[in-house]
Amino acid sequence: MDVTLKHIDPFTFTCLRYAIAGAMFLVFLKLREGAAGFKVKGERIGLAWLFGTAGFAGFQFLVFFGQDLIGERGALNASIMMATMPMMGFLVNWVLRKVVPPKGALAFIAMSFVGVILVVSDGSLSSLFAHPSDFGPDALLLFAALCWVIYTSGATYFPTRSPIKYTAITTVLGLASASVITAIILATGGVPVPTGGDVTAILPELAYMSIIAGFVGVLGWNFGNKYLGPLNGVLFMDVVPITAFIISALTGVIPAGMQMAGASLTALALVLNNLYLRKVTKRAAAEAAAKAAAEKQAVATAASEKPAPVTAAR
């Protein structure tokens, strides 16, 4: 995206990217599920549109726009913001499903955000206030991460849909929203209309972002979350800052020491949080099993102590 944003705006690029990926999703859906895969009658299409818009307009627009505004280190900042998704997942689950996170999870949420602050500020907290212009782009990146968590959690509202169908339908609906928003931005002069030369210049990047990151990446993401669950699935976003830091270093953008420390702190928070939740889940399952066994024993005891019916004599 660093290369792409030098030639084309993030809004037009998102539409081009998901027009290609969306067509591939629809073809794949037809091959796997036939005509039945396109039936949405009786399903909550409005809700699917909302989640698709959050994922393919909200997330895609905001993350690349924020990255573009930050400049050279935009990819690094964007990647570490994505690592906040596991913690945001708990907050979204809290709001949407009224499931209160365990107290320990709240502590790890705080730990994760401390790591984010270290990355954004390069370890100098005063710099956060010395450059108010940075607030906007960083806020966009955080909101983008929230949009993707909402999209990921949205799959749980369609338990009967396969990951292929959820991906295809939400991509098409999200692309419709993205296209309307982009048309308005271009028509009002918010960004210049790309030329044919601009599009030609980013064809290799467009191919990668559409086929690999778009089609393969998003489909793999939704398949993984179908089986692992959203709260465990978003943990894998922790891989994003690691790969981004390595690739950026290879291309000459070396992350500062405090940025590395912040990224490590966020990664540690995610891992510890996951281990903690596994322990909580295991304990809850054991307590539920013990309670069920006790209730079963009580029923059996009551049945054995019940007096036998008296038979009347002739």
Side-chain angles (χ1 to χ4, degrees):
M1 280 307 297
D2 274 342
V3 175
T4 300
L5 293 172
K6 291 180 173 66
H7 299 279
I8 193 171
D9 65 273
F11 312 107
T12 304
F13 179 78
T14 294
C15 292
L16 292 174
R17 175 191 183 189
Y18 281 105
I20 297 172
M24 296 177 69
F25 286 136
L26 292 176
V27 171
F28 191 46
L29 178 62
K30 179 65 166 63
L31 293 174
R32 291 296 299 270
E33 301 185 20
F38 296 92
K39 294 180 180 179
V40 294
K41 186 177 180 180
E43 298 191 24
R44 295 178 286 185
I45 195 68
L47 198 58
W49 168 80
L50 178 64
F51 290 133
T53 299
F56 298 102
F59 172 72
Q60 305 295 334
F61 280 177
L62 296 178
V63 71
F64 296 138
F65 185 44
Q67 177 181 337
D68 192 27
L69 291 176
I70 292 173
E72 184 182 43
R73 291 186 177 272
L76 294 179
N77 278 31
S79 68
I80 193 63
M81 292 301 184
M82 298 308 102
T84 64
M85 285 188 186
M87 303 310 164
M88 286 188 177
F90 288 109
L91 300 179
V92 169
N93 201 43
W94 191 354
V95 172
L96 295 183
R97 299 188 174 279
K98 311 303 180 185
V99 178
V100 180
K103 294 180 180 179
L106 295 177
F108 292 125
I109 289 175
M111 181 178 173
S112 175
F113 276 99
V114 169
V116 170
I117 291 174
L118 289 176
V119 172
V120 174
S121 66
D122 287 343
S124 175
L125 296 182
S126 60
S127 66
L128 292 176
F129 305 98
H131 304 285
S133 60
D134 292 342
F135 293 168
D138 289 334
L140 289 178
L141 294 175
L142 275 176
F143 192 67
L146 178 60
C147 285
W148 191 250
V149 169
I150 292 173
Y151 170 72
T152 301
S153 300
T156 61
Y157 287 83
F158 302 91
T160 60
R161 281 188 185 177
S162 68
I164 300 173
K165 184 172 183 177
Y166 179 74
T167 306
I169 299 301
T170 54
T171 300
V172 171
L173 294 174
L175 177 62
S177 298
S179 299
V180 171
I181 296 171
T182 300
I184 294 174
I185 293 174
L186 293 175
T188 56
V191 294
V193 178
T195 65
D198 292 329
V199 177
T200 302
I202 53 95
L203 285 179
E205 289 76 18
L206 179 61
Y208 172 80
M209 293 291 283
S210 302
I211 300 171
I212 305 302
F215 177 72
V216 177
V218 175
L219 192 60
W221 177 262
N222 285 332
F223 261 104
N225 280 290
K226 177 73 172 181
Y227 299 108
L228 294 177
L231 293 183
N232 279 321
V234 289
L235 179 69
F236 287 85
M237 289 303 290
D238 187 39
V239 176
V240 175
I242 296 174
T243 55
F245 276 32
I246 293 173
I247 294 172
S248 294
L250 293 175
T251 57
V253 182
I254 308 299
M258 290 306 296
Q259 284 187 308
M260 294 296 292
S264 300
L265 186 63
T266 297
L268 181 62
L270 298 178
V271 172
L272 291 178
N273 182 69
N274 185 262
L275 294 175
Y276 169 73
L277 286 178
R278 290 175 187 273
K279 183 177 180 180
V280 170
T281 302
K282 185 176 180 180
R283 183 190 307 151
E287 291 176 352
K291 182 178 180 181
E295 291 176 350
K296 184 178 180 180
Q297 180 62 37
V299 171
T301 301
S304 65
E305 295 177 350
K306 185 177 180 180
V310 178
T311 302
R314 288 187 178 183

